[in-house]
């Protein structure tokens, strides 16, 4: 009986330690930045490990080339739609990198422990 109580207190101590590590990881993730791009760099999105968008950059000359109207035709809504699709693709690429970063950081903090649900925590 006393061994079970000892084990329970040991696990509680480990849980506190793990919680402290996870809080430290969250603070570190706020400082880490990943970038996603689309259209051969025409659109770049930078986000941090807290999934906050830090910047969206567009290479206007490259976008103008990609969305340039055919000679003799006016620009149309397809050009705008293509640019919107590039922004979405760059955002999704950045989010995927951030998700991978977060999962890896938490795995490292867990010290190899298999914590149920950790993979699903960030949509993995």
């Amino acid at each position: 009986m006393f061994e079970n109580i000892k084990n329970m207190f040991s696990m509680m101590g480990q849980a506190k330690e793990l919680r402290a590590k996870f809080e430290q990881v969250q603070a570190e993730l706020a400082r880490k930045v990943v970038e996603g791009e689309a259209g051969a760099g025409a659109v770049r999105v930078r986000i941090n490990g807290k999934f906050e968008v830090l910047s969206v950059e567009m290479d206007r000359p490259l976008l103008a080339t990609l969305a340039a109207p055919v000679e003799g035709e006016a620009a149309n809504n397809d050009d705008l739609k293509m640019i919107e699709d590039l922004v979405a693709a760059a955002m999704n690429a950045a989010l995927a990198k951030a998700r991978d970063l977060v999962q890896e950081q938490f795995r490292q903090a867990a010290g190899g422990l298999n914590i149920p649900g950790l993979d699903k925590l960030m949509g993995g």
Side-chain angles (χ1 to χ4, degrees):
M1 178 172 120
F2 290 113
E3 190 64 30
N4 289 340
I5 293 172
K6 182 178 165 186
N7 288 340
M8 184 179 73
F9 280 117
S10 175
M11 287 179 9
M12 287 172 47
Q14 289 174 349
K16 287 180 184 177
E17 188 178 310
L18 194 56
R19 183 181 309 133
K21 282 183 182 181
F22 281 0
E23 288 172 359
Q24 180 183 5
V25 167
Q26 287 177 324
E28 289 174 15
L29 286 169
R31 294 186 298 270
K32 295 195 181 237
V33 177
V34 295
E35 181 177 278
E37 69 173 52
V43 178
R44 295 179 193 274
V45 175
R46 296 178 64 224
I47 63 174
N48 66 17
K50 290 178 66 177
F51 301 99
E52 298 169 329
V53 176
L54 303 175
S55 66
V56 176
E57 299 172 7
M58 296 187 186
D59 183 329
R60 286 171 181 79
L62 184 53
L63 283 174
T65 301
L66 291 173
V70 177
E71 191 173 321
E73 294 181 16
N76 59 37
N77 285 338
D78 290 342
D79 296 336
L80 179 59
K81 177 69 175 138
M82 190 259 326
I83 292 170
E84 291 169 345
D85 288 346
L86 289 175
V87 171
M91 182 65 75
N92 287 330
L95 287 169
K97 288 180 182 180
R99 236 183 330 271
D100 290 345
L101 173 71
V102 168
Q103 286 178 344
E104 181 58 31
Q105 292 291 310
F106 277 110
R107 271 192 206 99
Q108 288 178 6
L113 292 176
N114 183 16
I115 300 173
L118 184 58
D119 288 349
K120 292 180 179 49
L121 181 67
M122 292 282 122

